[in-house]
Each structure stands twice: as structure tokens, then as C-alpha cells.
Amino acid sequence: LAYELGISSQTVSRWENGTTYPDIVMLPVLADFFNISIDKLMGYAKVCSTEERETFFKSVNHLKMGERILPHREMLEKYPNDVHLQFSLANILYSISKRNSDIEVEKEINLLCHRILQSDKPGIQCGALRLLALLSARQGDTETAMRYVNELPSVYCGREVMAEQILYGVTFKNAVKRVL
């Protein structure tokens, strides 16, 4: 990179370590070098409005589960940091993967859920933890599933209900009846 940009490797090293940042005149050069937009280079992402998101969800609601994947991916291309879209896609993929296990789909669910865990949305984070626990349990990894369950806040996300479901194979419906 230093050679291509005509700067010292120490300068690039300082950028990489976060000691300094590129001069503003270097931004177009860097964006061009990496073949990305300046927005992407700077980590800027458009935000999906609640109204647009709700309209999108209504527009795909009538579709079969498998038909919802492509529209979700297209929306995530436009709004890559929208945790609501990420969680919705993860749920769709999980529903589909229950019928036929696919390692690549499970990796995508895992990736989406871990991206959600980096967000500041506790309700969606709980959903992501629950999906990760269920996915791990389905893969036969009870230890990892319970690690995710133990990360759930007790009351808010139903840690105890999930633990019973993972450890004893109790259906969610029966678990809720037991709690009530």
C-alpha cells in the first residue's frame, strides 16, 4: 500500500495502529485503491428508517420463507448495519435450515447473530443469543448452547426457559405452560 501510494511504510503502519489518520486529501486515493466509496472507507452507512423497514417487512410477508431471502439480502446491501434486517434474515435462514441442515447457511446465521451482538439493541441481542443457542443445540453442542443461554438476561429473555429447552428438549410451548 505504501509503495502504491508513494508514502512511507511507517505512515501506513501508524494508520493501521490508529496512531494517526490519513490526511483528508488521501481519502479519494485510498478509496480508489481499494475500489470502494469514500463513505464505505470512512465506515459511513445509511440508516434505514422505521417506516421504510416496516414497509419492506409488509412487502415480503406474503412470500414463502425461501423467497424472502433475496429481498432481505438486497435490503442489507443497501443498509448493511440494520440489525432488524439482520435478525429477520437470521430467523428466516434458521427456519429454512431446520428442514435441511446446511453448513454455509448455519455459518451465515452465526455471522448475522454475532454482528447483532455488537449492536446497542438489547432486545434484538437477546433474540440473536436465543438463535445461537438453538443452532448450537441442534448441532449437538450443548455446552456452547448453554454458554449462549447463560449470556441471556434472566427475566428479559427467559434464560431459565431456554435452559430447560436446551437441556431437556422441552418445547417452548410446554416450557411456557410450566412457567405459568
Side-chain angles (χ1 to χ4, degrees), residues 51-144:
E51 182 180 304
E52 185 176 4
R53 189 182 314 111
E54 287 175 5
T55 301
F56 169 74
F57 286 143
K58 286 178 185 172
S59 73
V60 297
N61 199 32
H62 71 282
L63 299 173
K64 293 178 182 174
M65 280 294 181
E67 296 171 345
R68 295 178 188 186
I69 296 171
L70 183 59
H72 272 76
R73 287 189 174 140
E74 288 170 350
M75 277 295 279
L76 279 169
E77 184 103 3
K78 188 175 178 182
Y79 302 111
N81 297 322
D82 190 297
V83 293
H84 301 279
L85 294 168
Q86 292 170 2
F87 186 61
S88 181
L89 178 57
N91 273 302
I92 291 165
L93 293 172
Y94 180 79
S95 295
I96 291 171
S97 74
K98 283 196 297 190
R99 286 180 241 133
N100 52 351
S101 185
D102 181 337
I103 292 171
E104 292 304 312
V105 170
E106 291 174 356
K107 283 181 184 177
E108 186 174 1
I109 295 166
N110 204 308
L111 176 69
L112 288 165
C113 287
H114 280 91
R115 286 178 63 195
I116 293 166
L117 294 178
Q118 302 303 313
S119 75
D120 61 351
K121 306 277 189 222
I124 297 177
Q125 288 173 332
C126 287
L129 285 169
R130 290 172 60 93
L131 266 180
L132 288 168
L134 292 170
L135 185 62
S136 297
R138 195 174 76 213
Q139 294 168 338
D141 189 354
T142 306
E143 185 178 319
T144 301

